[in-house]
Amino acid sequence: MITLKSAHEIDLMRRAGKITAAARALAGDMVKPGVTTHEIDKAVEHFIRSQGAVPSFLNYYGYPASVCISVNDVVIHGIPDNRVLQEGDIVSVDVGAYIGGYHGDCAATFTCGKITPEDQDLIDVTRQSFFEGIKFAKEGCRLQDISAAIQTYVESHGYGIVREYVGHGIGTEMHEAPEVPNFGKSGRGPRLLRGMTIAIEPMVTAGSPSIYQLSDGWTVKTLDGKNAAHYENTILITDGEPEILTAPAI
């Protein structure tokens, strides 16, 4: 069941979103050659807890860390470890924070030193596809109007859209109804209503959209070994333009 949030609940989600966005920014600032993904994870966990929140991902269905850190051909759910980031890596960071009974969730792909123009374009298209999608995140539109806009933009640039993993509703639970695919046909899906809060998160591949999961039960990689990028924000449907609850601080 899709839940519509009250004004009070939205204020609580704004607080969770602000902390989550700051945690994403901290992680991005730490993406440098010589840094380990474990170091980023620990710093982000410390920051989230310092804000009075808890990491949404830690122990979520058994996930062993506070942040998902996915490098190069890892699409999502990369587990932080002693891997040392190298010049030229692209690093996707997905983070959530829970406070006051509500979650925030956001992600972005960051550059480690100097990267190739091809990887920069992949990151740029992935990020922009989110903004193409939220042009349709308005009361009265259909959910898959968002999905179709993302798919059209990504595929027009020659990239692949991951279909096995999708965005989602969010609130008192990290994953609520409805699912928010990054592909589909406009005019389909539930009608968007003010008070809906959803996480929109295109996952884009440089080559084939085919993926596989490692034996750790979490890490998802591209089947062809080409790089992938990820971008996500938690948004609120209003009576006008959507509000990005995990917008980066100015």
Side-chain angles (χ1 to χ4, degrees), residues 93-132:
V93 173
D94 192 356
V95 61
Y98 178 76
I99 187 170
Y102 290 84
H103 293 272
D105 187 11
C106 63
T109 302
F110 298 96
T111 63
C112 187
K114 186 177 180 180
I115 65 168
T116 66
E118 292 79 11
D119 280 341
Q120 187 63 61
D121 187 67
L122 172 65
I123 292 170
D124 292 344
V125 168
T126 302
R127 183 181 186 278
Q128 185 58 35
S129 73
F130 166 87
F131 290 99
E132 295 298 317

Side-chain angles (χ1 to χ4, degrees), residues 15 38 66 70 74 87 92 104 112 166-167 176:
R15 180 168 63 153
H38 175 75
S66 298
S70 305
V74 178
E87 182 90 14
S92 297
C112 187
V166 297
E176 299 181 351

Side-chain angles (χ1 to χ4, degrees), residues 105 166-170 173-180 197-201 232:
D105 187 11
V166 297
H168 50 91
I170 183 171
E173 300 293 333
M174 171 58 68
H175 294 95
E176 299 181 351
E179 290 192 340
V180 186
T197 48
I198 56 178
I200 300 171
E201 51 176 321
E232 175 186 21

Side-chain angles (χ1 to χ4, degrees), residues 216-235:
D216 62 20
W218 287 104
T219 308
V220 175
K221 303 184 77 171
T222 59
L223 189 61
D224 60 12
K226 293 187 177 180
N227 285 349
H230 186 192
Y231 191 78
E232 175 186 21
N233 281 303
T234 299
I235 72 160

